């Protein structure tokens, strides 16, 4: 009896002074606490694995650091050096060439293939698998195979074919004008499978009733494509444009593996920003300088992605 | 009684366990992965452990591209190698970064080093201290394909001895198809291979120039003589048409495939060329200039002791390094890897100097120069670009060499 009285008293008296966790907070607060408890893990993960290194790169870009001595603060010297470096502008130009030509070509190509592949009934799965295969292959292995394709006659397949047809041989990777397009072809070919699959998923997601209605209304194939397919594929296209742009801005594997003898191609004509960062950091050990380049790359990626999202935003 | 025996056995077991760790020291040896080097080191470690049962050596290897980064990262983490292999050209960086400690003078007296080793080991000396010693050294020589020599009316026993003879032999061997495409090279031209060393330390000097001054801190190849050397080199492709840079991807690949009459390469290529079965090849000294002057480039990987090693690990590391630089180790290294012994007495035996393969390399060591690189990859790139500007962009050799000298000087100044 006495214990029950105490309990009652405790509970009644407990309220104003604040009792346990369960009693003290409103339903809303409690839910928030739970949400943040569960979010803590990814938040912690992102802070430690992503945000901290990103912010640290900004700090490092203001230092002179060769990994072996402690970093020395030098302000914006690395940036000044970078913008005065003709190599950087060459690399900048190359990187944008990959982006400006690579992204539209790869998207038009993959859309065209996806569009027609969508209609193929015979061996559909097999053909789709063939297109997807390069995407599964290691970039380094692919790059080496293409590197051999591009060799001069005794070992290069493409030049062998050209000679057999009586056409002049092409220098490809050994030329200051052909090297970048040669590598871009490889990169486009390698990423095609992924883009085709995504485009096909987008095409399949458009309800067939739309097409049936259009055909009843007497719309031609071209009008259907322009008025129905392309507008409805917009979310897919936006996704692929952003993803593919980021991919081309960060191109590295193909370039590095196809030109290991002369990294970045003859006179640096194929060198992208990421390869320059790699060389500054892990070959010359100029970590601060490499960090400054990374920051520049980050800003470019950010601006381009935001710009694309803004241009391709849903206006309705 | 049985209990007593058991107890005694147990006691001795305990004493064994407690005594052994006190005596046994394990040290780590780091090098990059190259099959013959790893095999040779396995043999050396086995011999060393047999002679020093209280020391265990663990060999740790990394791919070449990762090697420096791993050492630096491990040092930052306070867990570096006890004994490590390093390219002589990395020394400044490694010393400045506090990765190495000077070799103790009692175990490695300077006068003994300087009298016993080839003089190029002085590239490991900074501020009066040696930071490492090599087991083996490398030099360059002219490899030639005897079969292609014969087929083109050249005497395979009488390879080119001068630059003019080199050009003549190259022209005799080079072959083209009807469309004018090269099908066989007279000589490989591969600036990314060893040609940049040949140009810097051999051709520039043979044309009367000096590639660097002030201990390799000042670039001086930007001279009329240097320009002539560059004209000669690029002329091999553009005028004489005896080779083509990029032919079969790499010079050594073209030679291996029997598609090149000659190639300039180092001792380290012996292992891979020894697997050639389709034709006989031989080696000769790098060609002299018209006045008979010869030059060569030599380099090496040295072994040094980690900066943080002390106590009994340091003693063990010293013993191991002493063995690695002993005549016995050098003999094994020569047999397995094909690199030349770093001690004169071991290298310059009658057997070695009269050896048709080692002989030319050993002679080359006598007049070799060792470029002190501050950033080997970047400095090599300057040389590659210099040649490409002439061959691909049609720039004049004089302008191209000027640009190269400025770029390389900037790299050297930046590193200082």
């Amino acid at each position: 009896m006495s214990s029950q009285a105490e309990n009652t008293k405790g509970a009644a008296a407990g309220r104003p002074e604040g009792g346990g966790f369960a009693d003290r907070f409103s339903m809303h607060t409690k839910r928030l606490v739970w949400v943040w408890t569960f979010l803590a893990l990814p938040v912690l993960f992102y802070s430690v694995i992503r945000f901290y290194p990103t912010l640290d790169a900004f700090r490092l870009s203001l230092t002179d650091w060769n990994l072996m001595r402690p970093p020395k603060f030098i302000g914006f010297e690395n940036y000044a050096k970078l913008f005065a470096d003709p190599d950087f502008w060459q690399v900048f130009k190359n990187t944008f060439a990959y982006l400006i030509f690579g992204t539209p070509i790869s998207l038009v190509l993959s859309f065209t293939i996806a569009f027609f592949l969508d209609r193929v009934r015979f061996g559909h799965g097999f053909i789709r698998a063939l297109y997807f295969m390069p995407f599964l292959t290691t970039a380094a292995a692919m790059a080496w195979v293409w590197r051999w394709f591009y060799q001069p006659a005794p070992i290069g397949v493409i030049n062998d074919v050209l000679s057999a047809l009586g056409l002049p041989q092409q220098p490809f990777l050994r030329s200051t004008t052909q090297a970048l397009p040669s590598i871009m072809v490889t990169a486009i070919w390698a990423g095609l499978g992924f883009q085709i699959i995504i485009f096909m998923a987008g095409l399949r997601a458009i309800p067939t009733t739309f097409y049936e209605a259009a055909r009843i209304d007497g719309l031609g194939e071209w009008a259907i494509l322009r008025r129905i397919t392309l507008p409805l594929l917009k979310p897919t296209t936006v996704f692929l444009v952003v993803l593919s742009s980021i991919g081309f801005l960060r191109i590295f594997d193909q370039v590095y593996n196809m030109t290991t003898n002369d990294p970045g191609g003859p006179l640096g004509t194929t060198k992208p920003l990421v390869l320059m960062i790699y060389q500054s950091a892990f070959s010359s050990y100029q970590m601060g300088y490499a960090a400054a380049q990374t920051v520049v790359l980050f800003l470019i990626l950010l601006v381009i992605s935001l710009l694309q999202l803004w241009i391709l935003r849903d206006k309705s | 009684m049985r209990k007593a025996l058991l107890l005694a056995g147990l006691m001795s077991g305990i004493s064994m366990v407690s005594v052994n760790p006190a005596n046994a020291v394990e040290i780590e040896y780091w090098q990059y992965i190259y099959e013959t080097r790893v095999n040779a080191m396995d043999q050396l470690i086995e011999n060393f452990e047999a002679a020093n049962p209280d020391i265990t050596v663990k060999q740790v290897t990394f791919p070449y591209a990762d090697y420096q980064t791993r050492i630096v990262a491990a040092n930052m983490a306070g867990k570096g190698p006890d004994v490590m292999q390093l390219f002589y050209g990395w020394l400044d960086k490694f010393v400045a970064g506090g990765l190495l400690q000077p070799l103790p003078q009692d175990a490695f007296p300077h006068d003994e080093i300087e009298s016993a080793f080839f003089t190029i080991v002085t590239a490991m000396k900074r501020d009066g201290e040696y930071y490492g010693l090599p087991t083996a050294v490398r030099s360059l020589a002219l490899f030639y394909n005897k079969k292609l020599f014969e087929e083109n009316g050249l005497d395979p026993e009488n390879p080119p001895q001068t630059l003019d003879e080199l050009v003549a032999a190259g022209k005799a061997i080079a072959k083209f198809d009807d469309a004018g495409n090269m099908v066989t090279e007279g000589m490989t031209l591969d600036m990314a291979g060893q040609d940049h060393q040949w140009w810097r330390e051999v051709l520039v000097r043979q044309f009367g120039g000096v590639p660097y001054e002030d201990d390799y801190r000042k670039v001086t190849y930007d001279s009329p003589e240097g320009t002539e050397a560059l004209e000669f080199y690029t002329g091999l492709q553009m005028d004489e048409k005896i080779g083509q840079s990029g032919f079969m991807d790499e010079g050594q690949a073209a030679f291996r495939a029997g598609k090149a009459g000659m190639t300039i390469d180092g001792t380290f290529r012996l292992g891979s060329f020894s697997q050639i079965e389709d034709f006989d090849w031989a080696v000769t000294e790098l060609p002299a200039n018209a006045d008979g002057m010869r030059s060569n480039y030599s380099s090496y990987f040295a072994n040094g002791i980690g900066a943080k090693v002390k106590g009994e690990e340091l003693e063990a590391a010293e013993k191991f390094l002493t063995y690695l630089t002993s005549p016995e180790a050098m003999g094994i290294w020569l047999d397995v890897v094909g690199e030349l012994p770093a001690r004169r007495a071991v290298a310059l035996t009658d057997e070695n100097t009269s050896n048709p393969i080692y002989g030319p390399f050993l002679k080359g060591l006598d007049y070799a120069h060792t470029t002190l690189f501050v950033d080997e990859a970047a400095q090599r790139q300057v040389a590659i670009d210099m040649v490409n500007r002439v061959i691909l962009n049609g720039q004049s050799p004089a302008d191209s060499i000027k640009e190269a000298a400025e770029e390389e000087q900037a790299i050297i100044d930046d590193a200082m």
Side-chain angles (χ1 to χ4, degrees):
Chain A
M1 178 68 197
S2 66
S3 74
Q4 199 188 349
E6 252 169 55
N7 272 352
T8 329
K9 185 188 159 210
R15 234 167 257 281
E17 298 157 18
F21 170 75
D23 306 324
R24 205 180 332 167
F25 300 107
S26 70
M27 200 61 190
H28 177 73
T29 321
K30 273 188 272 178
R31 200 177 292 160
L32 265 181
V33 169
W34 276 115
V35 166
W36 280 106
T37 311
F38 281 113
L39 277 178
L41 202 64
V43 165
L44 195 73
F45 176 80
Y46 264 85
S47 333
V48 175
I49 305 285
R50 301 219 81 135
F51 301 141
Y52 168 69
T54 311
L55 291 174
D56 206 38
F58 282 97
R59 182 183 66 79
L60 277 179
S61 72
L62 305 175
T63 64
D64 179 16
W65 186 37
N66 71 352
L67 262 186
M68 299 187 226
R69 279 168 285 189
K72 193 175 87 197
F73 182 80
I74 53 164
F76 287 91
E77 246 177 68
N78 281 325
Y79 292 95
K81 182 180 164 195
L82 188 63
F83 295 133
D85 185 354
D87 285 352
F88 170 71
W89 293 109
Q90 164 89 48
V91 161
F92 194 80
K93 205 180 92 195
N94 296 340
T95 309
F96 274 88
Y98 285 117
L99 171 77
I100 289 165
F101 296 106
T103 306
I105 294 174
S106 74
L107 284 175
V108 169
L109 214 61
S110 54
F111 174 75
T112 315
I113 295 170
F115 186 74
F116 289 105
L117 193 58
D118 193 38
R119 299 171 172 209
V120 171
R121 293 284 164 265
F122 173 74
H124 175 88
F126 177 68
I127 299 172
R128 199 172 52 175
L130 282 186
Y131 276 110
F132 197 62
M133 207 102 83
F135 188 71
L136 299 174
T137 315
T138 323
M142 239 158 33
W144 277 87
V145 170
W146 277 87
R147 176 179 175 161
W148 289 321
F149 283 175
Y150 284 133
Q151 290 301 316
I155 53 170
V157 177
I158 301 175
N159 272 322
D160 275 348
V161 173
L162 287 179
S163 323
L165 295 174
L167 295 167
Q169 286 203 54
Q170 297 302 317
F172 295 119
L173 297 172
R174 282 287 306 157
S175 150
T176 48
T177 47
Q178 292 179 6
L180 189 134
S182 303
I183 289 179
M184 193 144 54
V185 166
T186 316
I188 290 174
W189 172 78
L192 216 53
F194 176 74
Q195 296 185 347
I196 290 172
I197 296 287
I198 303 291
F199 264 131
M200 282 183 52
L203 286 171
R204 295 266 156 120
I206 299 171
T208 45
T209 47
F210 285 27
Y211 292 115
E212 283 158 15
R215 288 206 178 89
I216 290 167
D217 288 347
L219 251 62
E221 282 299 311
W222 177 244
I224 291 177
L225 177 69
R226 213 164 50 85
R227 301 240 190 106
I228 298 175
T229 314
L230 288 181
L232 286 172
L233 266 182
K234 196 165 172 182
T236 313
T237 318
V238 173
F239 170 74
L240 283 178
V241 166
V242 173
L243 216 66
S244 155
S245 308
I246 294 176
F248 278 107
L249 283 173
R250 297 198 320 194
I251 189 167
F252 174 79
D253 321 34
Q254 278 91 4
V255 186
Y256 183 69
N257 285 293
M258 288 172 78
T259 58
T260 47
N261 289 341
D262 185 358
L267 299 171
T269 43
T270 68
K271 195 191 280 184
L273 200 44
V274 182
L275 181 54
M276 189 185 191
I277 294 171
Y278 175 82
Q279 287 179 329
S280 302
F282 300 111
S283 170
S284 299
Y285 294 96
Q286 299 174 327
M287 291 297 169
Y289 193 40
Q293 293 161 14
T294 314
V295 169
V296 170
L297 177 65
F298 170 76
L299 293 177
I300 294 173
L301 284 169
L302 189 70
V303 168
I304 298 235
S305 303
L306 290 178
L307 208 65
Q308 281 169 344
L309 288 173
W310 182 72
I311 291 170
L312 297 167
R313 72 193 183 278
D314 217 346
K315 289 184 184 103
S316 59
Chain B
M1 184 62 202
R2 279 181 67 179
K3 265 188 186 166
L5 263 177
L6 203 68
L7 195 66
L10 214 62
M11 294 276 281
S12 68
I14 289 167
S15 70
M16 289 276 283
V17 168
S18 59
V19 165
N20 260 354
N23 286 344
V25 186
E26 189 186 88
I27 54 170
E28 274 189 22
Y29 177 78
W30 286 20
Q31 71 164 336
Y32 68 90
I33 301 171
Y34 190 86
E35 202 192 346
T36 52
R37 302 176 80 88
V38 176
N39 292 344
M41 191 49 67
D42 281 339
Q43 271 188 50
L44 294 181
I45 289 174
E46 206 180 296
N47 294 350
F48 176 74
E49 284 178 347
N52 299 276
D54 52 338
I55 303 174
T56 336
V57 182
K58 188 176 153 205
Q59 180 175 200
V60 183
T61 56
F62 299 106
Y64 183 76
D66 277 355
Y67 184 68
Q68 280 192 73
T69 319
R70 297 273 192 154
I71 288 193
V72 172
N75 187 57
M76 280 167 60
K79 195 153 176 358
D82 299 297
V83 181
M84 73 187 87
Q85 201 172 76
L86 73 149
F87 191 59
Y88 79 92
W90 304 341
L91 184 65
D92 282 319
K93 234 185 300 179
F94 277 28
V95 170
L99 261 62
L100 291 167
Q101 55 178 293
L103 300 185
Q105 295 205 21
D106 49 345
F108 304 95
H110 287 186
D111 47 350
E112 204 250 293
I113 292 177
E114 275 145 31
S115 62
F117 285 75
F118 282 107
T119 44
I120 57 170
V121 297
T122 48
M124 293 308 287
K125 197 176 183 183
R126 292 290 181 281
D127 300 324
E129 295 282 2
Y130 278 91
Y131 283 88
L133 281 178
T135 303
V137 293
R138 317 148 138 195
S139 61
L140 303 177
L142 183 72
F143 289 78
Y144 63 98
N145 179 326
K146 286 183 155 181
K147 190 173 152 197
L148 284 177
F149 264 58
E150 250 165 23
E151 284 172 8
N152 293 287
L154 299 163
D155 179 5
E157 301 313 321
N158 200 3
Q161 291 305 309
T162 64
L163 291 175
D164 289 342
E165 288 174 24
L166 177 85
V167 173
K171 278 174 133 169
I173 297 168
K175 291 283 169 298
F176 302 84
D177 65 11
D178 298 339
N181 303 314
M182 183 163 263
V183 286
T184 307
E185 276 185 312
M187 179 190 165
T188 64
L189 295 179
D190 188 357
M191 216 50 184
Q194 295 303 311
D195 284 5
H196 69 107
Q197 321 276 22
W198 182 48
W199 181 79
R200 263 195 222 97
E201 294 293 1
V202 183
L203 289 177
V204 170
R205 291 176 196 277
Q206 288 182 327
F207 280 84
V210 180
Y212 304 86
E213 274 171 6
D214 295 342
D215 238 2
Y216 289 89
R217 296 299 177 247
K218 189 171 183 309
V219 179
T220 51
Y221 53 67
D222 175 20
S223 61
E225 294 83 10
T227 309
E228 256 186 86
L230 180 59
E231 274 165 359
F232 172 80
Y233 182 80
T234 51
L236 293 177
Q237 170 165 341
M238 298 168 79
D239 309 324
E240 313 290 356
K241 300 196 180 354
I242 69 172
Q244 187 182 307
S245 83
F247 180 77
M248 294 202 67
D249 203 22
E250 287 179 348
Q252 57 93 9
F255 188 79
R256 272 187 78 146
K259 297 275 185 196
M262 297 173 281
T263 189
I264 288 175
D265 219 320
T267 7
F268 41 85
R269 197 66 73 192
L270 288 171
S272 106
F273 283 173
S274 66
Q275 291 158 19
I276 296 175
E277 286 174 359
D278 301 340
F279 59 89
D280 286 333
W281 52 270
V283 206
T284 185
E285 280 175 272
L286 292 185
N289 68 5
D291 302 331
M293 181 222 177
R294 291 184 198 262
S295 182
N296 206 309
Y297 163 77
S298 91
S299 65
Y300 53 91
F301 273 84
N303 295 297
I305 300 178
K308 292 180 181 134
V309 185
K310 47 181 186 285
E312 50 187 9
E313 268 101 12
L314 180 60
E315 267 173 54
E318 264 178 54
K319 275 189 195 166
F320 186 54
L321 189 56
T322 308
Y323 178 64
L324 288 187
T325 52
S326 68
E328 180 187 320
M330 290 179 185
I332 293 175
W333 201 264
L334 178 68
D335 287 342
V336 181
V337 188
E339 288 185 334
L340 310 170
R343 280 175 189 269
R344 287 166 183 283
V346 189
L348 301 171
T349 58
D350 286 343
E351 193 195 338
N352 285 340
T353 45
S354 61
N355 181 301
I357 288 172
Y358 299 138
F361 287 105
L362 283 168
K363 281 187 200 148
L365 273 182
D366 267 351
Y367 44 78
H369 297 268
T370 302
T371 322
L372 293 182
F373 292 109
V374 296
D375 181 347
E376 203 222 1
Q379 287 174 273
R380 184 182 66 145
Q381 190 65 51
V382 168
I384 296 174
D385 289 350
M386 174 182 71
V387 167
N388 275 342
R389 277 194 299 268
V390 177
I391 292 181
L392 301 176
N393 286 1
Q395 198 181 26
S396 78
D399 289 345
S400 187
I401 205 170
K402 187 165 176 279
E403 226 175 299
E406 280 165 13
E407 278 175 33
E408 189 168 357
Q409 190 63 58
I411 292 170
I412 295 172
D413 293 344
D414 256 11
M416 288 299 113

